Amino acid sequence: MNADLSACAAFGNTPPWDQIDWSKCEGEVRRLQARIVKATREGRHGKVKALQWTLTHSFYGKALAVRRVTENQGKRTPGVDGAIWQTPGVKYKAIGSLRRRGYKPSPLRRVHIPKANGKLRPLGIPTMKDRAMQALYLLALEPIAETTADSRSYGFRPARSTADAIGQCHLILSRGISPVWVLEGDIRGCFDNISHEWMLRHVPSDKKVLRCWLKAGYMENRTLFPTEAGTPQGGIISPTLANLTLDGLEPLFRAKFPKTVTPSPKVNLVRYADDFIITGTSKELLEKEVRPLVEQFLHERGLELSPEKTCVTHIDQGFDFLGQHVCRRNGKLLIQPSRKNTRALLEKVREVIRQNRGLSQECLIRMLNPILRGWANYHRHVSASDMFRKVDNHLWQSLWRWANRRHSEKSRPWVLRKYWHRMGRKWKFAALTEKRGPDGEVVWLKLVNPVETKIHRYRRIKGEANPFDPDWRPYFEDRAFFKKFGGHRSQTRRNPL
């Protein structure tokens, strides 16, 4: 009898994996994380270590770690051992395999993925067991990282996104007294060059396990290579380690450039992972005082600024940040989708249409809709209406060429009536599906039109908000309600209609 069948026999017909009370697991882990937050704020480092030990050795933490790596997007991507955890019996058995004693991680499987500039980014893929161990220790490390994090850091953190970073940019640059000079910063090979010695001295995690991960090496073309620096891109815990490495820059600026000084230097930091901007009142301030301070801060961590991507820009000239173009026109701040980001979308759409010339209209729409919907939703919090109309125009031209190529012998009105249908006052690129509505009516599959995406201002998260702190739980519940229904819970209770 194999492992799956024996496990099922012990628990009747239901596998033990399916009998786990996930609500209880989440509650127990959340309770320990809240205690870690409290102990961190009180400076009780011994208590923090004890609570981390309890969490990483608990059944609840191990179960949640296994569930995370077996239900995310990479659940079918194996490491160097080729193993994946798919069946309930294997998943339940994996919980017991997550032990610190005798743990030795396997080398990473190195692959390369293309970057926007045409270069290749190395990506390290751990084994399923190593991913689960990282997810387990991340449960104990993330509450500390969130408690000590810079308030204006938004990358790879729970409950934060690029929209929060762009919202902060709007806040510090949109007023009449706002600074007009911006230092655009980018760290060269951040994940690949972080000093191992610095992380082992400063990262508040199990040093033995952390050292094992950092020194595991990677396999490429059946050859083992050592890792002397950096944290691998692709590991679950890697973004948090990078954030912990870069945290501390904001308090450094507050101490060096206090806002109480007159005139104020107006030095503000907005960071998303290894991309950041720093504002200032003058170009000389950013070049001669701020930049050397950043370079010294990074040098201690084994990092350096990228010379080709780091520059000082006037707000009237504008700059690109996280796919948006931020500039000031006629004294008013304007944030729009960047040309580079929009060009990449149109190239991707044209490539999909070009490679699927013989595909049916319904299949083509199903391929294009996720791309268009994702891009439009990403930019719906900025002044994107003009760019939405331009994308819609380019999309119409590409689809018109696609339709005419399929029916070169037909007239243009015939092609228009076959692929575009009048719905209300507008013509829609739509196809009939085999589905029927509740009343038996036909169901149309329509192409997503970015112009129809509503623009609304994003509600920026409070800098000190901590999702692991029970005191902040009502705030995050209200925030989730606002994102879903567009209002506050208290307002909805007063006016249910």
PDB file of all heavy atoms in Angstrom, residues 414-432:
ATOM      1  N   TRP A 414     -18.906  43.898 -44.934  1.00  0.00           N
ATOM      2  CA  TRP A 414     -19.178  42.504 -44.543  1.00  0.00           C
ATOM      3  C   TRP A 414     -18.267  42.102 -43.386  1.00  0.00           C
ATOM      4  O   TRP A 414     -18.708  41.461 -42.424  1.00  0.00           O
ATOM      5  CB  TRP A 414     -18.948  41.586 -45.746  1.00  0.00           C
ATOM      6  CG  TRP A 414     -19.310  40.154 -45.481  1.00  0.00           C
ATOM      7  CD1 TRP A 414     -20.488  39.537 -45.726  1.00  0.00           C
ATOM      8  CD2 TRP A 414     -18.447  39.148 -44.901  1.00  0.00           C
ATOM      9  NE1 TRP A 414     -20.450  38.218 -45.351  1.00  0.00           N
ATOM     10  CE2 TRP A 414     -19.191  37.951 -44.829  1.00  0.00           C
ATOM     11  CE3 TRP A 414     -17.137  39.135 -44.442  1.00  0.00           C
ATOM     12  CZ2 TRP A 414     -18.674  36.767 -44.325  1.00  0.00           C
ATOM     13  CZ3 TRP A 414     -16.614  37.964 -43.928  1.00  0.00           C
ATOM     14  CH2 TRP A 414     -17.378  36.795 -43.869  1.00  0.00           C
ATOM     15  N   VAL A 415     -16.987  42.466 -43.489  1.00  0.00           N
ATOM     16  CA  VAL A 415     -16.031  42.142 -42.418  1.00  0.00           C
ATOM     17  C   VAL A 415     -16.433  42.842 -41.126  1.00  0.00           C
ATOM     18  O   VAL A 415     -16.374  42.262 -40.034  1.00  0.00           O
ATOM     19  CB  VAL A 415     -14.607  42.548 -42.849  1.00  0.00           C
ATOM     20  CG1 VAL A 415     -13.623  42.361 -41.689  1.00  0.00           C
ATOM     21  CG2 VAL A 415     -14.149  41.747 -44.050  1.00  0.00           C
ATOM     22  N   LEU A 416     -16.874  44.097 -41.242  1.00  0.00           N
ATOM     23  CA  LEU A 416     -17.276  44.834 -40.048  1.00  0.00           C
ATOM     24  C   LEU A 416     -18.455  44.171 -39.353  1.00  0.00           C
ATOM     25  O   LEU A 416     -18.452  44.001 -38.126  1.00  0.00           O
ATOM     26  CB  LEU A 416     -17.630  46.269 -40.440  1.00  0.00           C
ATOM     27  CG  LEU A 416     -18.083  47.180 -39.301  1.00  0.00           C
ATOM     28  CD1 LEU A 416     -16.943  47.440 -38.332  1.00  0.00           C
ATOM     29  CD2 LEU A 416     -18.629  48.495 -39.847  1.00  0.00           C
ATOM     30  N   ARG A 417     -19.459  43.763 -40.125  1.00  0.00           N
ATOM     31  CA  ARG A 417     -20.650  43.156 -39.520  1.00  0.00           C
ATOM     32  C   ARG A 417     -20.361  41.778 -38.936  1.00  0.00           C
ATOM     33  O   ARG A 417     -21.050  41.344 -38.011  1.00  0.00           O
ATOM     34  CB  ARG A 417     -21.764  43.050 -40.570  1.00  0.00           C
ATOM     35  CG  ARG A 417     -22.382  44.384 -40.949  1.00  0.00           C
ATOM     36  CD  ARG A 417     -23.655  44.179 -41.764  1.00  0.00           C
ATOM     37  NE  ARG A 417     -23.394  43.436 -42.986  1.00  0.00           N
ATOM     38  CZ  ARG A 417     -23.082  44.009 -44.152  1.00  0.00           C
ATOM     39  NH1 ARG A 417     -23.002  45.335 -44.241  1.00  0.00           N
ATOM     40  NH2 ARG A 417     -22.877  43.269 -45.223  1.00  0.00           N
ATOM     41  N   LYS A 418     -19.347  41.097 -39.456  1.00  0.00           N
ATOM     42  CA  LYS A 418     -19.043  39.747 -38.957  1.00  0.00           C
ATOM     43  C   LYS A 418     -18.338  39.780 -37.601  1.00  0.00           C
ATOM     44  O   LYS A 418     -18.622  38.942 -36.732  1.00  0.00           O
ATOM     45  CB  LYS A 418     -18.155  38.992 -39.964  1.00  0.00           C
ATOM     46  CG  LYS A 418     -17.786  37.572 -39.498  1.00  0.00           C
ATOM     47  CD  LYS A 418     -17.062  36.812 -40.570  1.00  0.00           C
ATOM     48  CE  LYS A 418     -16.644  35.427 -40.062  1.00  0.00           C
ATOM     49  NZ  LYS A 418     -17.800  34.598 -39.638  1.00  0.00           N
ATOM     50  N   TYR A 419     -17.445  40.739 -37.390  1.00  0.00           N
ATOM     51  CA  TYR A 419     -16.630  40.742 -36.178  1.00  0.00           C
ATOM     52  C   TYR A 419     -16.999  41.846 -35.191  1.00  0.00           C
ATOM     53  O   TYR A 419     -16.682  41.741 -34.006  1.00  0.00           O
ATOM     54  CB  TYR A 419     -15.140  40.853 -36.546  1.00  0.00           C
ATOM     55  CG  TYR A 419     -14.628  39.636 -37.276  1.00  0.00           C
ATOM     56  CD1 TYR A 419     -14.432  39.662 -38.661  1.00  0.00           C
ATOM     57  CD2 TYR A 419     -14.360  38.462 -36.603  1.00  0.00           C
ATOM     58  CE1 TYR A 419     -13.953  38.551 -39.332  1.00  0.00           C
ATOM     59  CE2 TYR A 419     -13.884  37.339 -37.259  1.00  0.00           C
ATOM     60  CZ  TYR A 419     -13.686  37.383 -38.630  1.00  0.00           C
ATOM     61  OH  TYR A 419     -13.234  36.283 -39.287  1.00  0.00           O
ATOM     62  N   TRP A 420     -17.630  42.905 -35.681  1.00  0.00           N
ATOM     63  CA  TRP A 420     -18.044  43.981 -34.775  1.00  0.00           C
ATOM     64  C   TRP A 420     -19.566  44.047 -34.747  1.00  0.00           C
ATOM     65  O   TRP A 420     -20.236  43.947 -35.789  1.00  0.00           O
ATOM     66  CB  TRP A 420     -17.484  45.331 -35.244  1.00  0.00           C
ATOM     67  CG  TRP A 420     -16.057  45.543 -34.849  1.00  0.00           C
ATOM     68  CD1 TRP A 420     -15.587  46.192 -33.759  1.00  0.00           C
ATOM     69  CD2 TRP A 420     -14.887  45.113 -35.567  1.00  0.00           C
ATOM     70  NE1 TRP A 420     -14.215  46.199 -33.728  1.00  0.00           N
ATOM     71  CE2 TRP A 420     -13.749  45.536 -34.830  1.00  0.00           C
ATOM     72  CE3 TRP A 420     -14.681  44.396 -36.753  1.00  0.00           C
ATOM     73  CZ2 TRP A 420     -12.452  45.288 -35.236  1.00  0.00           C
ATOM     74  CZ3 TRP A 420     -13.380  44.137 -37.159  1.00  0.00           C
ATOM     75  CH2 TRP A 420     -12.281  44.585 -36.403  1.00  0.00           C
ATOM     76  N   HIS A 421     -20.107  44.215 -33.544  1.00  0.00           N
ATOM     77  CA  HIS A 421     -21.559  44.183 -33.369  1.00  0.00           C
ATOM     78  C   HIS A 421     -21.976  45.403 -32.562  1.00  0.00           C
ATOM     79  O   HIS A 421     -21.309  45.792 -31.599  1.00  0.00           O
ATOM     80  CB  HIS A 421     -21.989  42.895 -32.655  1.00  0.00           C
ATOM     81  CG  HIS A 421     -21.505  41.657 -33.350  1.00  0.00           C
ATOM     82  ND1 HIS A 421     -22.184  41.065 -34.373  1.00  0.00           N
ATOM     83  CD2 HIS A 421     -20.372  40.919 -33.163  1.00  0.00           C
ATOM     84  CE1 HIS A 421     -21.511  39.995 -34.787  1.00  0.00           C
ATOM     85  NE2 HIS A 421     -20.406  39.888 -34.064  1.00  0.00           N
ATOM     86  N   ARG A 422     -23.088  45.977 -32.981  1.00  0.00           N
ATOM     87  CA  ARG A 422     -23.572  47.178 -32.321  1.00  0.00           C
ATOM     88  C   ARG A 422     -24.275  46.812 -31.021  1.00  0.00           C
ATOM     89  O   ARG A 422     -25.242  46.059 -31.001  1.00  0.00           O
ATOM     90  CB  ARG A 422     -24.529  47.951 -33.230  1.00  0.00           C
ATOM     91  CG  ARG A 422     -24.817  49.361 -32.742  1.00  0.00           C
ATOM     92  CD  ARG A 422     -25.546  50.171 -33.802  1.00  0.00           C
ATOM     93  NE  ARG A 422     -25.712  51.560 -33.395  1.00  0.00           N
ATOM     94  CZ  ARG A 422     -24.808  52.496 -33.519  1.00  0.00           C
ATOM     95  NH1 ARG A 422     -23.637  52.203 -34.058  1.00  0.00           N
ATOM     96  NH2 ARG A 422     -25.039  53.732 -33.125  1.00  0.00           N
ATOM     97  N   MET A 423     -23.761  47.335 -29.919  1.00  0.00           N
ATOM     98  CA  MET A 423     -24.335  47.095 -28.601  1.00  0.00           C
ATOM     99  C   MET A 423     -24.554  48.452 -27.945  1.00  0.00           C
ATOM    100  O   MET A 423     -23.597  49.115 -27.534  1.00  0.00           O
ATOM    101  CB  MET A 423     -23.408  46.225 -27.748  1.00  0.00           C
ATOM    102  CG  MET A 423     -23.172  44.848 -28.340  1.00  0.00           C
ATOM    103  SD  MET A 423     -22.051  43.849 -27.335  1.00  0.00           S
ATOM    104  CE  MET A 423     -22.016  42.343 -28.311  1.00  0.00           C
ATOM    105  N   GLY A 424     -25.816  48.847 -27.882  1.00  0.00           N
ATOM    106  CA  GLY A 424     -26.116  50.189 -27.418  1.00  0.00           C
ATOM    107  C   GLY A 424     -25.714  51.192 -28.473  1.00  0.00           C
ATOM    108  O   GLY A 424     -26.108  51.112 -29.639  1.00  0.00           O
ATOM    109  N   ARG A 425     -24.865  52.133 -28.093  1.00  0.00           N
ATOM    110  CA  ARG A 425     -24.412  53.159 -29.031  1.00  0.00           C
ATOM    111  C   ARG A 425     -23.036  52.877 -29.606  1.00  0.00           C
ATOM    112  O   ARG A 425     -22.518  53.678 -30.379  1.00  0.00           O
ATOM    113  CB  ARG A 425     -24.395  54.525 -28.323  1.00  0.00           C
ATOM    114  CG  ARG A 425     -25.755  55.017 -27.862  1.00  0.00           C
ATOM    115  CD  ARG A 425     -25.625  56.394 -27.230  1.00  0.00           C
ATOM    116  NE  ARG A 425     -26.937  56.909 -26.809  1.00  0.00           N
ATOM    117  CZ  ARG A 425     -27.103  58.094 -26.244  1.00  0.00           C
ATOM    118  NH1 ARG A 425     -26.043  58.870 -26.017  1.00  0.00           N
ATOM    119  NH2 ARG A 425     -28.308  58.499 -25.890  1.00  0.00           N
ATOM    120  N   LYS A 426     -22.435  51.767 -29.214  1.00  0.00           N
ATOM    121  CA  LYS A 426     -21.059  51.500 -29.621  1.00  0.00           C
ATOM    122  C   LYS A 426     -20.962  50.177 -30.369  1.00  0.00           C
ATOM    123  O   LYS A 426     -21.786  49.281 -30.212  1.00  0.00           O
ATOM    124  CB  LYS A 426     -20.137  51.471 -28.389  1.00  0.00           C
ATOM    125  CG  LYS A 426     -20.069  52.802 -27.647  1.00  0.00           C
ATOM    126  CD  LYS A 426     -19.110  52.724 -26.476  1.00  0.00           C
ATOM    127  CE  LYS A 426     -19.028  54.054 -25.732  1.00  0.00           C
ATOM    128  NZ  LYS A 426     -18.108  53.988 -24.584  1.00  0.00           N
ATOM    129  N   TRP A 427     -19.918  50.089 -31.201  1.00  0.00           N
ATOM    130  CA  TRP A 427     -19.595  48.839 -31.888  1.00  0.00           C
ATOM    131  C   TRP A 427     -18.579  48.084 -31.041  1.00  0.00           C
ATOM    132  O   TRP A 427     -17.572  48.640 -30.614  1.00  0.00           O
ATOM    133  CB  TRP A 427     -19.020  49.118 -33.272  1.00  0.00           C
ATOM    134  CG  TRP A 427     -20.039  49.636 -34.250  1.00  0.00           C
ATOM    135  CD1 TRP A 427     -20.427  50.923 -34.422  1.00  0.00           C
ATOM    136  CD2 TRP A 427     -20.794  48.853 -35.165  1.00  0.00           C
ATOM    137  NE1 TRP A 427     -21.393  51.015 -35.391  1.00  0.00           N
ATOM    138  CE2 TRP A 427     -21.643  49.749 -35.880  1.00  0.00           C
ATOM    139  CE3 TRP A 427     -20.867  47.499 -35.474  1.00  0.00           C
ATOM    140  CZ2 TRP A 427     -22.516  49.335 -36.867  1.00  0.00           C
ATOM    141  CZ3 TRP A 427     -21.728  47.074 -36.458  1.00  0.00           C
ATOM    142  CH2 TRP A 427     -22.556  47.976 -37.141  1.00  0.00           C
ATOM    143  N   LYS A 428     -18.854  46.806 -30.813  1.00  0.00           N
ATOM    144  CA  LYS A 428     -17.998  45.979 -29.968  1.00  0.00           C
ATOM    145  C   LYS A 428     -17.399  44.835 -30.783  1.00  0.00           C
ATOM    146  O   LYS A 428     -18.099  44.212 -31.595  1.00  0.00           O
ATOM    147  CB  LYS A 428     -18.795  45.383 -28.797  1.00  0.00           C
ATOM    148  CG  LYS A 428     -19.469  46.411 -27.906  1.00  0.00           C
ATOM    149  CD  LYS A 428     -18.488  47.078 -26.993  1.00  0.00           C
ATOM    150  CE  LYS A 428     -19.193  47.962 -25.980  1.00  0.00           C
ATOM    151  NZ  LYS A 428     -18.256  48.625 -25.073  1.00  0.00           N
ATOM    152  N   PHE A 429     -16.117  44.583 -30.559  1.00  0.00           N
ATOM    153  CA  PHE A 429     -15.470  43.392 -31.112  1.00  0.00           C
ATOM    154  C   PHE A 429     -15.873  42.234 -30.210  1.00  0.00           C
ATOM    155  O   PHE A 429     -15.370  42.078 -29.097  1.00  0.00           O
ATOM    156  CB  PHE A 429     -13.953  43.573 -31.113  1.00  0.00           C
ATOM    157  CG  PHE A 429     -13.205  42.482 -31.833  1.00  0.00           C
ATOM    158  CD1 PHE A 429     -13.125  42.459 -33.208  1.00  0.00           C
ATOM    159  CD2 PHE A 429     -12.570  41.477 -31.114  1.00  0.00           C
ATOM    160  CE1 PHE A 429     -12.428  41.455 -33.869  1.00  0.00           C
ATOM    161  CE2 PHE A 429     -11.867  40.479 -31.751  1.00  0.00           C
ATOM    162  CZ  PHE A 429     -11.798  40.463 -33.142  1.00  0.00           C
ATOM    163  N   ALA A 430     -16.841  41.442 -30.657  1.00  0.00           N
ATOM    164  CA  ALA A 430     -17.449  40.423 -29.792  1.00  0.00           C
ATOM    165  C   ALA A 430     -17.797  39.183 -30.596  1.00  0.00           C
ATOM    166  O   ALA A 430     -17.967  39.223 -31.822  1.00  0.00           O
ATOM    167  CB  ALA A 430     -18.704  40.986 -29.118  1.00  0.00           C
ATOM    168  N   ALA A 431     -17.909  38.062 -29.891  1.00  0.00           N
ATOM    169  CA  ALA A 431     -18.242  36.778 -30.520  1.00  0.00           C
ATOM    170  C   ALA A 431     -19.319  36.086 -29.696  1.00  0.00           C
ATOM    171  O   ALA A 431     -19.348  36.181 -28.465  1.00  0.00           O
ATOM    172  CB  ALA A 431     -16.994  35.895 -30.612  1.00  0.00           C
ATOM    173  N   LEU A 432     -20.182  35.367 -30.377  1.00  0.00           N
ATOM    174  CA  LEU A 432     -21.208  34.570 -29.702  1.00  0.00           C
ATOM    175  C   LEU A 432     -20.576  33.339 -29.078  1.00  0.00           C
ATOM    176  O   LEU A 432     -19.685  32.721 -29.651  1.00  0.00           O
ATOM    177  CB  LEU A 432     -22.284  34.133 -30.697  1.00  0.00           C
ATOM    178  CG  LEU A 432     -23.400  35.143 -31.004  1.00  0.00           C
ATOM    179  CD1 LEU A 432     -24.286  34.587 -32.107  1.00  0.00           C
ATOM    180  CD2 LEU A 432     -24.224  35.424 -29.764  1.00  0.00           C
TER     181      LEU A 432
END
